Amino acid sequence: MNKIRVRFAPSPTGFLHVGGLRTALYNYLFARKNNGVFVLRIEDTDRTRYVDGAVENLIDTLSWCSLDFDEGPQKGGMYGPYIQSERLDIYKNTVGQLIEKKKAYYCFCSPESIDTLRKDQQNVNQQTKYDKRCLKLTTQDIEEKLKSGIPYVVRLNIESDQTVVVDDIIRGRVEFDSNLLDDQVLIKSDGYPTYHLANVVDDHLMEISHVIRGEEWLPSTPKHVLLYDAFGWERPIFAHLPLLLNPDRSKLSKRQGDVAVEDYRSKGYLKEALINFVALLGWNPGTEQEIFTLSELVEQFSIDAVNKAGAVFNIEKLNWLNFEHLRMKPDAEILQILKEQIDKSPPDYIRYSDEKLLAIIQAMRPRMSFIKDIFEKSQYFFLPPSDYDQEVISKHWKSETPEHLKILLEEFSKLEHPKKEDYEKALHQAASMLKIGNGKLIHPVRLAVSGVGGGPGLYDILYIIGKEESLRRIKKAIERIKPQ
RNA sequence: GGCGCUAUCGUCUAAGGGUUUAGGACGCCGCCCUCUCAAGGCGGUAAUACGGGUUCGAAUCCCGUUAGCGCUACCA
C-alpha cells in the first residue's frame, strides 16, 4: 500500500478561516492516525488576491493550533517548492504534454468576447460554456498568433458525451455529464496556472494519496478527474467535507460573526477548545465523549465517519468547551497567562503576589470560561468598587447595617495576618455579639468590598484583597451607601 | 436557469431495517446544595421536512416533492 500523504492547500488571501482550520485539522488527524505525511502547500496563483504576510500568518496560526506539518514552506521537504508561484515552470511544462496530446489547446479569444458569448447563452437560458472556437485553429494560425503576441489562455479539451464518475469517501459515487462541463482554463493569460491545473499537477507530483477538502470543490472535481486521466496519472482518493455554516445556514462568512482563527485567539479562546469544537463539526466517534485533546482526536478520528450535511458554527458550545478546557489547565499555566495580562493592565490595578493570584484563580475557576473573565467578572480584586449594585443595596443594606459593620470592623481590626478562616471566625463572633444571623453581615460586607452581589466565597475575597484593603472598603461603603 | 450536494430536538449529533415510548451534548427551564453568583448533582423541554413505495417491520432502502446550500470566472 502506498504511503498516505495529505495536504492542506490554502490560498494566502488573508487570515486562516475556521472552515480552513477544520479542513486542516481533518487532514492532520487523518495523516497522524495513519502514519502519513501532512503537507502544507500555498496556492497563490491569483496574483490579484495576494495579501502580504498572509503566508507567515497562516503558518503562525497553524502552529498556534499545534497542527504541525511535515513538509511545506519554511520547513522544506522532498517535493518542494511548496509555494505554487515558485513552480510556474512545472505547470508550463506539464501543460505542454497536454497540448501535444490534443487534450488541451490554445485559446486566443478575448475576455470580452467570452463574456458576450456567456451573456448570449444566458439570455436564451442555455448552459454557459465556451464554444471550442479556438480548437478549430490550424497549427499555422496558432504559430502566427503566438508570434504576434496575442494574449492567450490554455484550455482543457473536454470530450462530449462522457459520464464522469467521482468516487468520494464521504459522498459515495457521484456522476457528472461531460456535456455540461466547460473547457476549463488551465493557464491564464498572465502565464499563471488556474487552481484546477496547479492543484492537480501538484497533488500528483507531491504524491498526495487523499484529497480532503471542502464541499465547494465537489462540482469541479470532474474537471480534476478528467485532468488526471488526460495526463495518464492515477487519481487520488477524494473526500469532500461538509461546509461550515452561519446560523442562517449559508456558507460561513464574515458579516455574521468572527471567521478568522485569529479573532478567536485574540478573544481568549483556547486552541484546545477551538480544535475540539471544529473537530465535532461534522464528525464524532459515536461514543458519548464530548471533550477531546488533540491526541485523543488523532486516536479516534476516522474519515469514513465524517457527516455529509453542513454544520452550523454555534458559539455557545464553543464557549462551554472553552470552560471545560480551561478547567483542565493546571494553575501554573493559567498563572503565567494571567501575569502577562496583568502586565498590560492599568497602573492603578492592585499587584498581587503569585500566591494571591493563585488564590484568585482557584476562586474563579468554576466562574470563568475565559482567563480574561478574572478581570471582567471580578474586577474588584484589582480595583475598589466605584459604585454599588442598587438591587443588592435595597435587599441587604438596612438602616442598622452601618452599626453592625462598625462592630465587625472592630473584630477584623484585631486580626493579625488573617487567613480566610480567621475572617470567618471574626465574622461569626461579631454576629453572635450582635445576636444576628451571619447573613446580615455577609451580604453587606460582600457588597462593600466588591460592589456586587455575586462572586466567590466572601472569605476568599477578604483574604485575597487583604485586611487593610478590606477595612478601607468597608469604611468607605459605610460612608457612601445610604441605608434603605 | 443548469448541475451537484444535503435533510433527526433551536444548535452539534447517536441509532444505518426490528434491541427506539429515537440516545447524548450545548442552550433553556425547574429542584437540590448554598453567604451570593457560579460550579456540581438530579429532573424537565424539544426532532426523524412532506408524499408515495419496498418490507411482516422504515429515522434507516428506493422514487418523487419541497426546502436549504454549493458550484456555474483567465477566484480559490
Side-chain angles (χ1 to χ4, degrees):
Chain A
M1 189 180 139
N2 283 338
K3 180 95 179 147
I4 285 187
R5 292 176 55 85
V6 294
R7 84 296 194 281
F8 175 54
S11 50
T13 55
F15 300 116
L16 179 61
H17 191 280
V18 287
L21 174 65
R22 207 269 313 258
T23 304
L25 176 65
Y26 282 15
N27 274 283
Y28 172 89
L29 295 177
F30 184 70
R32 291 289 171 267
K33 167 86 181 187
N34 297 293
N35 278 314
V37 174
F38 178 48
V39 177
L40 175 67
R41 186 174 72 222
I42 302 298
E43 311 223 321
D44 58 343
T45 54
D46 184 356
R47 292 176 309 159
T48 60
R49 294 212 304 163
Y50 184 79
V51 173
D52 227 32
V55 175
E56 291 71 19
N57 183 277
L58 226 30
I59 292 174
D60 177 61
T61 306
L62 245 21
S63 104
W64 175 72
C65 296
S66 307
L67 300 184
D68 45 298
F69 49 90
D70 306 302
E71 298 172 21
Q74 294 179 10
K75 179 121 187 172
M78 304 266 288
Y79 299 81
Y82 293 90
I83 296 180
Q84 289 185 330
S85 60
E86 295 171 13
R87 300 170 63 81
L88 263 25
D89 290 345
I90 298 173
Y91 309 122
K92 274 249 158 88
N93 293 338
T94 46
V95 91
Q97 302 171 23
L98 251 32
I99 294 172
E100 272 171 42
K101 289 197 262 182
K102 300 258 194 281
K103 305 270 190 184
Y105 59 96
Y106 291 101
C107 170
F108 298 91
C109 295
S110 68
E112 294 75 28
S113 69
I114 300 283
D115 217 43
T116 345
L117 174 67
R118 194 162 20 231
K119 277 190 183 129
D120 290 347
Q121 289 168 333
Q122 270 168 355
N123 285 340
V124 290
N125 257 337
Q126 228 180 39
Q127 185 69 26
T128 56
K129 213 177 131 184
Y130 180 59
D131 58 7
K132 288 180 182 275
R133 198 177 303 172
C134 287
L135 190 56
K136 300 183 186 86
L137 258 30
T138 63
T139 318
Q140 294 96 297
D141 290 337
I142 295 169
E143 295 279 308
E144 268 171 41
K145 284 179 190 285
L146 286 177
K147 243 180 237 160
S148 60
I150 299 174
Y152 66 91
V153 300
V154 177
R155 286 180 184 273
L156 180 62
N157 183 14
I158 294 181
E159 272 181 68
S160 53
D161 299 325
Q162 307 278 305
T163 299
V164 186
V165 176
V166 174
D167 280 305
D168 188 283
I169 296 182
I170 296 166
R171 276 150 226 288
R173 179 189 167 99
V174 186
E175 292 186 3
F176 299 87
D177 177 358
S178 78
N179 294 327
L180 270 14
L181 263 24
D182 203 356
D183 276 3
Q184 193 62 53
V185 170
L186 265 17
I187 300 278
K188 301 183 246 183
S189 58
D190 65 1
Y192 276 67
T194 56
Y195 169 87
H196 308 284
L197 203 233
N199 191 264
V200 165
V201 169
D202 286 348
D203 281 345
H204 172 73
L205 261 21
M206 294 181 183
E207 293 179 32
I208 298 302
S209 61
H210 294 70
V211 170
I212 303 170
R213 80 228 299 195
E215 195 194 338
E216 68 268 29
W217 293 110
L218 190 57
S220 43
T221 306
K223 295 169 187 171
H224 302 164
V225 157
L226 253 18
L227 258 176
Y228 282 101
D229 294 353
F231 278 117
W233 294 340
E234 194 189 335
R235 304 172 183 182
I237 295 166
F238 292 100
H240 287 93
L241 269 20
L243 258 19
L244 258 36
L245 272 22
N246 290 312
D248 71 357
R249 304 204 77 89
S250 57
K251 186 172 159 184
L252 188 66
S253 66
K254 215 135 186 146
R255 280 297 105 200
Q256 297 203 34
D258 294 315
V259 292
V261 172
E262 226 173 70
D263 294 335
Y264 291 94
R265 181 183 179 180
S266 67
K267 284 192 170 177
Y269 285 91
L270 262 19
K271 64 176 180 187
E272 291 88 348
L274 200 53
I275 293 283
N276 192 159
F277 179 62
V278 298
L280 260 16
L281 256 21
W283 172 85
N284 80 88
T287 65
E288 289 185 353
Q289 184 176 356
E290 299 277 346
I291 313 291
F292 297 88
T293 62
L294 224 207
S295 54
E296 286 172 324
L297 289 172
V298 168
E299 217 171 280
Q300 299 184 36
F301 184 75
S302 158
I303 192 80
D304 316 292
V306 173
N307 294 129
K308 295 175 167 74
V312 172
F313 190 94
N314 183 251
I315 202 93
E316 310 242 288
K317 192 149 187 177
L318 173 59
N319 290 343
W320 172 73
L321 282 168
N322 211 66
F323 169 81
E324 293 294 334
H325 280 277
L326 187 55
R327 79 182 342 201
M328 285 161 64
K329 275 218 180 296
D331 284 349
E333 223 173 297
I334 297 178
L335 177 66
Q336 205 47 49
I337 299 167
L338 183 60
K339 282 167 82 170
E340 282 164 26
Q341 297 188 9
I342 285 173
D343 287 342
K344 288 181 273 180
S345 67
D348 56 342
Y349 270 41
I350 299 169
R351 307 287 143 153
Y352 288 105
S353 64
D354 284 5
E355 186 225 358
K356 287 284 180 85
L357 289 177
L358 250 10
I360 292 178
I361 291 167
Q362 275 152 18
M364 288 303 291
R365 263 190 185 281
R367 295 174 176 80
M368 62 177 180
S369 289
F370 303 95
I371 292 175
K372 67 175 184 199
D373 284 346
I374 289 176
F375 301 104
E376 290 176 6
K377 291 189 176 166
S378 58
Q379 200 197 31
Y380 47 80
F381 283 129
F382 302 95
L383 236 38
S386 55
D387 50 21
Y388 304 92
D389 189 311
Q390 193 54 47
E391 255 180 70
V392 184
I393 293 176
S394 37
K395 202 168 174 197
H396 294 295
W397 199 278
K398 306 298 178 192
S399 53
E400 64 276 19
T401 300
E403 288 312 310
H404 291 169
L405 289 183
K406 280 174 191 159
I407 302 294
L408 179 69
L409 241 20
E410 281 173 33
E411 289 303 313
F412 278 0
S413 303
K414 295 180 201 157
L415 299 171
E416 281 179 44
H417 306 295
K419 297 284 181 206
K420 54 183 278 196
E421 299 77 29
D422 301 318
Y423 288 107
E424 186 167 6
K425 273 185 216 152
L427 187 138
H428 287 184
Q429 172 71 19
S432 71
M433 280 164 59
L434 288 159
K435 299 195 168 55
I436 55 172
N438 297 332
K440 287 261 186 282
L441 290 173
I442 290 173
H443 295 294
V445 173
R446 171 182 293 286
L447 180 67
V449 297
S450 73
V452 293
L458 174 64
Y459 309 115
D460 287 311
I461 300 179
L462 294 175
Y463 167 69
I464 289 163
I465 64 176
K467 179 180 155 185
E468 298 311 317
E469 181 68 14
S470 296
L471 292 178
R472 200 162 31 239
R473 290 188 188 182
I474 295 168
K475 284 176 194 158
K476 189 96 175 187
I478 294 172
E479 286 168 26
R480 290 178 60 196
I481 301 176
K482 285 196 266 325
Q484 299 293 295

